[in-house]
Amino acid sequence: MADIDALALALRAELGPEQVVTDRQTLRTYECDGLAHYKVIPALVVLPHTAAQVATVVKACAAAGVPFVARGSGTGLSGGALPHAEGVLIVTAQMRRIVEIAPADERAVVEPGVINLQVTRAATPHGYYYAPDPSSQQICSIGGNVAENSGGAHCLKYGFTTNHVTGLQIVTPDGDLVRLGGRALDPPGYDLIGAFVGSEGTLGVATEVTVRLTRLPESVRTLLAAFTSIDAAGAATSAIIAAGVVPAAIEMMDALAIEAAEAAVACGYPPGAAAVLVVELDGPSAEVEAQFEQVTALCTKEGAFEIRIAADEAERALFWKGRKSAFAAVGRISPDYIVQDGVIPRTALPEVLRRISEVADSHGVRVANVFHAGDGNLHPLVLFDARVEGEAERAETVSGAIIDLCIEYGGSITGEHGVGMDKAKYMPRMFGDDDLDTMQLVRCAFDPDHLSNPGKVFPTPRLCGERPGSNLAERFPGVEVF
């Protein structure tokens, strides 16, 4: 740890003692992100206030050969911000300045520690908002959203973070401060912004983000439809999309998720519902009204036994309160749970949900389902009690089986939570060795020394992941093989 001690001393001189954390007990507060299943105490934590300070820290790490991990609010659910035991954790939470709200350009420029919802609050007086809305939007940071390419309930219509970032200032893994893009759309050359957004901190650290602002819609209508079966709710979802209607959001919760939400926030969903859909439409008033009638009719046709229409903003907020609280609410009905994240074609929803139920029953494990039904992004919550011998292992087995189902049905191992530490082992199930090696070429171009968030996204070298395989030298002449 001599390198870390020397690094801590140097960084204290550059940044000040209050921005460098070495106390063991304080370091423990950073041992995990929102996925507490994995815990590592970092060797050193640094709290930069400016982009220049981030560059100073990264440059010092590069010179010393010390790995580093960037962390925002720590709400990630894949272990993407899990610290390195012999590395530096760079926490950007104190970089929370909104640099500019530019309604004429429909842009906002923010530092990475700015909370997602704060962007909307700053833009609303100008008639705009920031569309990506993860369930954790009240506490998650824009820097973390960029790292994970976060989505949210309204990504069905408006897309993910990558669709709303037009410019970045980043610190590269060797400590250079670089700008990518800007306010203009689609800059010429390679899409480096697209490569960086969703790279989970493996290509560097974002220090400033330029995001697209969206005009507040003229009209917003929200309904809650209750069904006697998940199959019926899934059929209603497919029917809505097939009719050519693209809602801002279509969210589904099953009976167990509803039970948890009721226990936590008393959202008042219809009693006896096996599943509920929260459907939201926005846009020009005439269009919304016409589509709202279609959606209501389609839900009724597919067997909705009760449809509630939000009469005002307070009732709309109550509909969403149950959905947005679902992850945390599960703690009311289970001491421990695994939050899974996978994607399937939405037409496969009923069949996949039935198979998830069968897998869970066969292992004696409960699974609560809450997800973005419109785009097939599942968030099964696998419940267990770690105090009971064998339950954690059974929950892990069921969690892995759900990912296998997503792959089997032509989906993905993650929709918006990222790969991180948690799903790196599943990457070879979705991609071949050549695919993984080619992805690693991008990483090596940015970070040849593998100091930026090492051990994430790609599996171990033994599985042809973290370090490119020897066949790269033959297929890509001139590429250095590590």
Side-chain angles (χ1 to χ4, degrees), residues 420-441:
M421 175 66 72
D422 189 45
K423 292 185 177 177
K425 60 181 174 289
Y426 296 114
M427 288 287 277
R429 301 188 191 182
M430 187 169 177
F431 299 103
D433 290 347
D434 288 348
D435 297 322
L436 294 172
D437 284 347
T438 301
M439 292 180 203
Q440 284 286 56
L441 287 175

Side-chain angles (χ1 to χ4, degrees), residues 389-439:
E389 185 177 355
E391 278 205 14
E393 291 75 14
R394 293 201 302 274
E396 284 281 0
T397 299
V398 171
S399 181
I402 290 171
I403 291 301
D404 287 337
L405 281 173
C406 291
I407 296 171
E408 179 184 338
Y409 281 81
S412 170
I413 64 174
T414 180
E416 56 185 350
H417 293 175
V419 177
M421 175 66 72
D422 189 45
K423 292 185 177 177
K425 60 181 174 289
Y426 296 114
M427 288 287 277
R429 301 188 191 182
M430 187 169 177
F431 299 103
D433 290 347
D434 288 348
D435 297 322
L436 294 172
D437 284 347
T438 301
M439 292 180 203

